[in-house]
Amino acid sequence: MAAAAPGSDENAAVHVLIETWNVIAILLRGVKTKDKIYEHNPICHMYTVLEPGITYLRNKSTPEFASEFEKLNEDYHAWLKKKKKSASYVSAACGGLMNARFG
């Protein structure tokens, strides 16, 4: 979708999805305790799925595209280590097998 023609519905959709996660990352910058957020949101799963599109768009036009989302993903992985989450927990979280709760 990221390689779709600029202005196409597909290209717009991938931009909206990635930028939504980038905005989430920006909004979470000031949150001190992210435990509940990290426990219930598919951060690393979404980053893993969207990373090829992010890389493509960075190489194509904007080198810093989705940089806040990337930082959020790195912070999430650090949180997983700090909280000593099991390998099965990490696999479930990053594989999208956990239930995300929005709202």
Side-chain angles (χ1 to χ4, degrees):
M1 289 175 64
S8 68
D9 288 347
E10 293 83 4
N11 187 270
V14 77
H15 273 87
V16 167
L17 183 56
I18 294 170
E19 280 303 317
T20 297
W21 278 98
N22 206 51
V23 169
I24 290 167
I26 291 167
L27 293 172
L28 290 176
R29 270 194 238 154
V31 176
K32 292 181 181 171
T33 305
K34 298 176 186 162
D35 289 353
K36 292 295 180 192
I37 294 165
Y38 284 172
E39 288 173 1
H40 298 291
N41 286 281
I43 296 166
C44 65
H45 170 68
M46 292 306 299
Y47 191 83
T48 299
V49 170
L50 295 171
E51 186 174 25
I54 293 168
T55 300
Y56 178 85
L57 293 167
R58 283 180 176 173
N59 292 334
K60 183 98 173 149
S61 61
T62 312
E64 65 280 349
F65 183 72
S67 60
E68 293 296 328
F69 184 22
E70 181 179 33
K71 289 176 193 169
L72 177 64
N73 182 57
E74 291 167 359
D75 187 50
Y76 180 75
H77 282 281
W79 175 83
L80 288 169
K81 276 187 174 182
K82 179 181 176 185
K83 296 296 180 177
K84 298 179 180 164
K85 296 294 184 181
S86 70
S88 60
Y89 184 97
V90 174
S91 295
C94 296
L97 303 172
M98 300 179 78
N99 292 325
R101 297 182 188 171
F102 299 99

